[in-house]
Amino acid sequence: MADLENKSQEELEKKAQEEVPESERVFVRERILDRLESRRRWVRRGIALFVSAVVFGTVSCLVFVWLRPYAEELFEEKETLQETAIHLPRDEEPTEPPATQPTEESEQLSKEESESETQTTENIKEVVESAVESYQWNITDYENLYRAIGEVATEVNKGVVTVTTRTPTTDLFDNPIETEGKVSGVIWNITSYEMLILTGYRTQEGESTVEVTFCNGTKAAASVKSADARTGIAIVSVPLASVDEGTRKQIRQVPLGNSIEAKPGQPVILAGSPKDFVGSIAYGMITYVRPGVQKEDMDVRMIYTDVSTSNQATGFVLNLKGQIIGMVTTGMTGLSTGAVGISDLKSSIERLSNGSVLAYMGIVGQDVTEEISESKQIPRGVYVSDAVLEGPAYNAGLQSGDVVVALDDTEVLTVNMIETFLEGKLPEETVTAHVKRMGRDGYADMEFYVVLGGR
C-alpha cells in the first residue's frame, strides 16, 4: 500500500515538472571542479602574467632608449635658456704703483742694483750685437719668419667664416628678387649649445635667411642674435646641433685680446676679408694708436695700420699670438686701414651675445677733466660736442655746449661712465639728465627727461 502511494506521489511530481517551461524549470547550474584543475589554471594565469610583464617591460625599455635622445634634446634646449649669461672681463689701463719715500739704505742698495743691472745690460748688449754682426743672414731666415706668421694666420682662419644674408625685394618693375650680402666673421665663443660669431653690421630690414659658411665649405643656417648699427657690429648665432662632428673638429675659437696694450711698430695680421676674399690675410704693423676718439655714447681707441684694403673689406686686426685686438668696420678701409680697439667693444659684444638690445642716448661727448675745468671755467662732467640729430637726447632738448653732470642719481664725470650707466638700461626707459647750460649769468642747472632708444 505504501509503495503505491509513493509511486503515485512521484508520478504527480513528474507530471508537475512537465507542465513547467524549460526556462523556468532550471534556474541554477553548478559544476564542482576538481581542486587540482583549479590550481593548474591559477598557475597558467601566473605564468601568463609574468610573461606579459617581461614583454611589456622589454618594449618599454626599447621605446625609452629610442626616445631618449629626442627627449634630452628637448629638455636640454629648455635648460640652455637658463644657462649662465656670457661675461667678458674688461681691460683696464695699466697703473703705476705708488712711489715710496726712499731711505738712505734703500738708496744705496738701489744705486748698487742699478749699477749691477747696467753692467749686466751692457754685457748682454755686447754679446747680442756681436752675435748679430757675425751671423750671416740669408733668405731662409726671411722665409722662416713669414712661415711662422703664416702658421698663426692659418690657425686663425679656422675660425673665420662667411656670413651670407638674403633679403627679398623687388626690382624697378616690381618683379620679386632676392638680394644677397656677404661679410666675414669670426667665431669668438662656443657654448654648450651655440656658436657665437662676431661680424660687421650688414644686416638688412626684412632679411629672410642668414647662412654661415665655415672654413671647410660646410654651410649652416644661422640667425642674427643682436646687432648694433652705432658701433657697426653684430652677433650671429649658429646652433651647435646643426654643425656636424667633422666640422666641429676643424673649426676653432679665436680669442679676444687686449687693445690697450697695442703700440705703434707692433706687427699685426689682418684676417677676415682684407683683400676682398673671405679667408685672405695681410701682414703689416701698427702705425698709430689714437685713444679717446669720440663716438655716440662712448669713446674708443683707434688702431691704424699700414695695410691697404678695398672699400668692401671687412675683418679683424690680430697680434702675433692670434688674438683679436681690433675690428675693421664700415668706413675704416683704405691705404691705412683702421680698426676699433676690441677692448672698447667688449661691453657691446657681451650684451649682444646675450641677446640684449643696447640702450641709446645719442650724444657725442668729451671728458671735462679737472685741468680743463680750471683753465676753461667749465663744470666737471661730459661736454656735449654734438647731440645726434633726432636722437633721444636731441629730442629731449639737449644741445651742443651742455655739460652732463649726472644721469638719474649717478654722477657723470667721463664718457665711459655714461657708457657704463647705459649698460644697465633698456630702450624705452626714461632717464633724467642733469645738465649745466651756459646762460647770461653763467651755467644754470637744468633737467631733461630722455626716453632711451635702441642701437
Side-chain angles (χ1 to χ4, degrees):
M1 189 68 177
D3 292 338
L4 291 173
E5 290 178 358
N6 291 335
K7 187 176 181 180
S8 299
Q9 186 66 27
E10 290 177 358
E11 289 177 353
L12 290 172
E13 292 177 358
K14 185 176 181 181
K15 187 175 181 180
Q17 288 181 1
E18 290 175 353
E19 292 176 354
V20 177
E22 181 70 21
S23 59
E24 297 180 6
R25 191 183 310 163
V26 179
F27 62 95
V28 175
R29 292 180 181 270
E30 293 184 354
R31 180 185 178 192
I32 300 176
L33 299 176
D34 182 50
R35 290 182 178 273
L36 181 58
E37 182 180 354
S38 178
R39 290 174 182 173
R40 287 175 179 173
R41 176 175 294 180
W42 282 109
V43 170
R44 287 196 297 270
R45 289 181 178 176
I47 294 174
L49 181 62
F50 176 76
V51 172
S52 299
V54 172
V55 171
F56 284 120
T58 303
V59 172
S60 299
C61 290
L62 293 175
V63 172
F64 175 78
V65 171
W66 178 60
L67 291 177
R68 180 178 178 180
Y70 302 99
E72 288 181 347
E73 183 177 351
L74 175 64
F75 290 109
E76 283 180 3
E77 183 176 354
K78 293 181 179 180
E79 289 175 0
T80 52
L81 298 177
Q82 302 177 351
E83 287 193 0
T84 304
I86 294 171
H87 176 68
L88 270 174
R90 305 296 186 264
D91 300 325
E92 301 291 341
E93 294 279 357
T95 57
E96 296 182 359
T100 57
Q101 190 67 26
T103 61
E104 293 183 1
E105 184 178 354
S106 63
E107 285 182 350
Q108 181 64 25
L109 290 173
S110 177
K111 184 178 180 181
E112 293 176 357
E113 290 175 356
S114 178
E115 292 176 353
S116 177
E117 288 178 1
T118 302
Q119 184 64 36
T120 303
T121 303
E122 290 177 354
N123 293 339
I124 294 175
K125 184 178 179 181
E126 291 176 1
V127 172
V128 171
E129 288 178 351
S130 175
V132 170
E133 289 174 359
S134 61
Y135 184 80
Q136 297 298 317
W137 297 91
N138 54 51
I139 194 67
T140 303
D141 299 311
Y142 187 79
E143 291 175 346
N144 289 338
L145 174 63
Y146 273 87
R147 184 180 295 111
I149 298 176
E151 289 175 356
V152 176
T154 300
E155 283 298 305
V156 169
N157 269 342
K158 293 179 182 178
V160 173
V161 301
T162 303
V163 180
T164 305
T165 59
R166 298 183 178 88
T167 307
T169 184
T170 57
D171 60 13
L172 295 175
F173 302 98
D174 291 331
N175 297 316
I177 60 174
E178 189 177 59
T179 60
E180 184 178 271
K182 292 181 181 293
V183 65
S184 63
V186 68
I187 303 171
W188 87 268
N189 197 1
I190 302 176
T191 70
S192 59
Y193 63 100
E194 67 178 343
M195 293 182 187
L196 296 174
I197 296 168
L198 175 62
T199 185
Y201 181 84
R202 295 281 180 90
T203 57
Q204 303 177 48
E205 184 178 356
E207 64 187 16
S208 56
T209 59
V210 180
E211 186 180 68
V212 168
T213 305
F214 296 102
C215 59
N216 62 352
T218 302
K219 298 181 179 181
S223 61
V224 178
K225 195 159 189 178
S226 196
D228 180 9
R230 304 294 172 178
T231 56
I233 64 175
I235 297 294
V236 172
S237 171
V238 177
L240 201 60
S242 65
V243 182
D244 62 86
E245 189 64 28
T247 301
R248 292 189 204 179
K249 292 180 179 179
Q250 293 185 48
I251 62 177
R252 60 155 292 186
Q253 175 180 319
V254 182
L256 305 182
N258 185 344
S259 59
I260 296 176
E261 299 175 351
K263 298 290 186 290
Q266 176 181 339
V268 291
I269 302 170
L270 266 69
S273 56
K275 300 298 181 181
D276 290 337
F277 301 99
V278 176
S280 59
I281 58 173
Y283 305 142
M285 70 174 184
I286 297 175
T287 56
Y288 183 61
V289 177
R290 183 184 174 191
V293 177
Q294 298 177 13
K295 298 286 185 180
E296 297 172 20
D297 300 336
M298 63 189 304
D299 58 28
V300 299
R301 183 183 303 261
M302 292 295 301
I303 300 172
Y304 296 95
T305 70
D306 61 352
V307 180
S308 62
T309 53
S310 66
N311 292 333
Q312 297 301 317
T314 59
F316 309 87
V317 177
L318 302 102
N319 57 25
L320 296 188
K321 297 178 182 178
Q323 300 171 333
I324 299 173
I325 60 173
M327 183 170 178
V328 180
T329 58
T330 306
M332 298 182 184
T333 56
L335 294 177
S336 56
T337 302
V340 179
I342 202 68
S343 296
D344 300 310
L345 296 177
K346 285 185 177 180
S347 172
S348 298
I349 293 172
E350 175 187 303
R351 299 195 66 199
L352 295 175
S353 297
N354 289 315
S356 301
V357 178
L358 307 187
Y360 170 58
M361 187 171 175
I363 64 170
V364 178
Q366 180 178 349
D367 300 348
V368 179
T369 63
E370 189 173 349
E371 292 77 14
I372 294 176
S373 177
E374 292 177 358
S375 62
K376 303 294 184 181
Q377 298 301 304
I378 301 175
R380 289 292 309 275
V382 173
Y383 181 85
V384 179
S385 304
D386 182 30
V388 180
L389 186 65
E390 298 302 327
Y394 176 90
N395 293 333
L398 273 77
Q399 60 188 30
S400 299
D402 289 342
V403 180
V404 180
V405 296
L407 294 173
D408 288 341
D409 297 326
T410 303
E411 183 184 23
V412 169
L413 296 176
T414 65
V415 176
N416 286 336
M417 293 178 73
I418 292 180
E419 182 182 3
T420 302
F421 175 83
L422 293 177
E423 287 180 8
K425 299 297 179 180
L426 295 173
E428 305 302 327
E429 286 191 42
T430 301
V431 173
T432 303
H434 301 273
V435 171
K436 291 186 179 293
R437 176 173 292 177
M438 175 60 101
R440 184 173 299 176
D441 299 323
Y443 281 95
D445 293 327
M446 303 185 72
E447 289 185 357
F448 297 93
Y449 299 99
V450 181
V451 180
L452 300 177
R455 298 175 70 105

